[in-house]
Amino acid sequence: MNISKIYEDLQQLVPTGMVKRGEVLESHVFTRIGGRADILAAPATYEELQSIVTYARVNEIPLTVLGNGSNVIIRDGGIRGIVLQTSDLTEMGLRDNVLYAQCGAKIIDVSRFALEKQLAGLEFACGIPGTVGGALYMNAGAYGGEIKDVLESALAISKAGRIVTLQGEELEWGYRKSVFASSEFIVLEARFALQPGDPAAIKAAMDDLTHQRESKQPLEYPSCGSVFKRPPGRFAGQLIQESGLQGTRIGGAEVSRKHAGFIVNTDHATAKDYIGLIQHVQATVKNKFGVELETEVEIIGEE
């Protein structure tokens, strides 16, 4: 790949957005680890995003989509090709009595907007740190609610540059997965089916969930949130705790002493530290309980 040419071409294709070359990605993810991107491009419009997707396909350039990096580990070698960051696409509003939000909007902000508009249904998302795109990608959930419960439809773009609307069975919902995790589609916009509600009751529910999150999760350290999916009939955090792994460290990465389901970056951890500790936790839990923990966090990039 001719990185200089790609950089110059994208500057023309993304006139109102941002294009950077050799950007260190650790400042773009919650874990604060990760190598460099060959090219980081943050479009400001759907048209710019479509131009990037089409350019990458025509020129056979690897394309990686990144939201706000709340549920991702980027390896120390960084990411080749183009990293498409959606964080500038944050518009939200009401259209025909349906709440819509662009892919880069934070799902926490969308839940607050729903409260402002006296709409119920997104209370569970008030503590989920990811973007709308990421929330749809993994069917994010918390405290008994999931994105699939409230999504009416999604506007998406295929890697071939075709814009489509997906709804119902086309979204292929599952536990921490959707059609976006297993196909060529990229989320552009979510449309939520919410119901009118009592703002005082909505706010009380959100305040309670926020308190639970802040009291139980190690928010004082960089992390990727819950590292592992919930095994059938069990809780990952409980299995890790009962394996005596809390406080276990590799380099600067540590199994949280506050919540065993989290691995935190306590002292300039590398991706190698983080991934090594994940593998150690998986092996220990498998040996003690016979349970294979599957990662919820996405691990991407080069070694």
Side-chain angles (χ1 to χ4, degrees):
M1 292 183 294
N2 186 332
I3 302 303
S4 295
K5 185 178 188 309
I6 296 170
Y7 175 67
E8 292 171 2
D9 289 346
L10 288 183
Q11 284 185 308
Q12 299 299 314
L13 293 172
V14 187
T16 62
M18 176 271 290
V19 180
K20 292 185 177 180
R21 179 177 176 178
E23 177 77 355
V24 177
L25 293 170
E26 65 180 34
S27 61
H28 297 275
V29 293
F30 276 41
T31 54
R32 294 296 180 260
I33 57 178
R36 295 179 183 272
D38 286 343
I39 302 288
L40 179 69
T45 66
Y46 287 164
E47 291 74 20
E48 290 183 350
L49 187 151
Q50 188 175 26
S51 294
I52 295 168
V53 171
T54 302
Y55 176 84
R57 177 182 60 84
V58 169
N59 293 281
E60 299 182 340
I61 300 167
L63 181 69
T64 302
V65 180
L66 182 68
N68 68 347
S70 63
N71 192 47
V72 65
I73 296 171
I74 298 175
R75 293 186 178 94
D76 301 314
I79 301 177
R80 305 289 71 79
I82 300 169
V83 175
L84 192 165
Q85 189 171 43
T86 63
S87 54
D88 288 343
L89 297 167
T90 59
E91 181 182 318
M92 63 186 81
L94 290 177
R95 185 188 297 129
D96 298 327
N97 295 317
V98 173
L99 191 159
Y100 73 91
Q102 292 185 333
C103 54
K106 296 175 183 176
I107 195 67
I108 289 175
D109 292 341
V110 179
S111 72
R112 292 170 181 163
F113 181 74
L115 167 61
E116 179 186 321
K117 299 301 180 182
Q118 302 183 24
L119 295 171
L122 270 173
E123 293 89 332
F124 73 91
C126 69
I128 297 174
T131 61
V132 166
L136 267 64
Y137 179 91
M138 66 174 298
N139 184 23
Y143 302 107
E146 290 182 301
I147 289 296
K148 72 177 180 61
D149 301 329
V150 292
L151 192 79
E152 178 183 273
S153 63
L155 188 69
I157 183 170
S158 71
K159 292 289 180 68
R162 183 170 60 95
I163 294 178
V164 298
T165 297
L166 301 174
Q167 54 192 344
E169 293 181 356
E170 293 175 311
L171 292 160
E172 299 179 10
W173 296 120
Y175 174 62
R176 297 298 175 264
K177 64 180 180 180
S178 72
V179 67
F180 302 107
S182 57
S183 75
E184 294 293 294
F185 288 112
I186 300 169
V187 179
L188 291 179
E189 180 177 300
R191 296 156 185 172
F192 296 99
L194 307 177
Q195 301 298 322
D198 173 21
I202 296 170
K203 185 176 186 304
M206 291 172 67
D207 287 346
D208 177 58
L209 295 179
T210 298
H211 172 72
Q212 291 187 53
R213 175 174 178 262
E214 291 178 347
S215 63
K216 296 177 180 178
Q217 297 182 9
L219 304 179
E220 64 273 24
Y221 291 110
S223 81
C224 59
S226 297
V227 176
F228 303 102
K229 295 179 181 179
R230 185 179 66 243
R234 310 295 292 270
F235 291 98
Q238 183 179 7
L239 293 171
I240 296 166
Q241 183 176 353
E242 291 177 3
S243 296
L245 289 166
Q246 284 182 281
T248 301
R249 293 173 62 104
I250 292 181
E254 178 180 291
V255 178
S256 171
R257 300 168 190 268
K258 188 173 184 180
H259 189 310
F262 285 64
I263 292 177
V264 292
N265 181 356
T266 61
D267 185 18
H268 301 93
T270 64
K272 185 177 180 180
D273 295 339
Y274 223 101
I275 295 168
L277 188 52
I278 287 173
Q279 293 169 342
H280 174 69
V281 169
Q282 288 173 317
T284 303
V285 170
K286 175 70 181 298
N287 183 59
K288 186 172 179 64
F289 294 103
V291 176
E292 294 190 11
L293 293 180
E294 184 180 352
T295 53
E296 180 173 306
V297 61
E298 291 278 319
I299 302 174
I300 60 176
E302 305 291 325
E303 295 288 353

